[in-house]
């Protein structure tokens, strides 16, 4: 389980990595039961597989959840 400090650090790392991409709608931190704090990445429709592959599943011990409007 990750703590809020680790999740905020992971969020900041992701903002540098993908925050300025046109397909990235937003990055935030939220609490998830059973996982602790997670980083939530919202993406816009039309993202390619190559672009989506740039979003890691984890940053350190923090889980990254992708919010896709197509799902």
């Amino acid at each position: 389980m990750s703590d809020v400090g680790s999740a905020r650090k992971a969020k900041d790392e992701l903002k540098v990595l993908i925050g300025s991409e046109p397909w990235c709608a937003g990055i935030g931190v939220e609490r998830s039961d059973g996982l602790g704090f997670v980083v939530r990445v919202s993406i816009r429709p039309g993202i390619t597989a190559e672009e989506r592959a740039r979003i890691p599943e984890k940053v350190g011990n923090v889980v990254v959840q992708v919010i896709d409007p197509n799902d």
Side-chain angles (χ1 to χ4, degrees), residues 6-70:
S6 297
R8 286 181 179 157
K9 184 178 177 186
K11 177 187 82 169
D12 292 341
E13 290 179 29
L14 281 175
K15 279 188 172 183
V16 171
L17 179 68
I18 62 171
S20 63
E21 295 293 339
W23 46 263
C24 181
I27 302 172
V29 172
E30 67 181 33
R31 181 157 177 89
S32 179
D33 290 339
L35 295 175
F37 288 88
V38 299
V39 176
R40 182 187 69 261
V41 177
S42 299
I43 58 175
R44 293 187 171 95
I47 187 172
T48 66
E50 293 82 23
E51 292 166 335
R52 180 128 184 198
R54 292 185 53 205
I55 305 170
E57 292 182 14
K58 283 187 160 187
V59 176
N61 68 336
V62 180
V63 174
V64 176
Q65 291 182 338
V66 177
I67 308 300
D68 189 339
N70 296 322

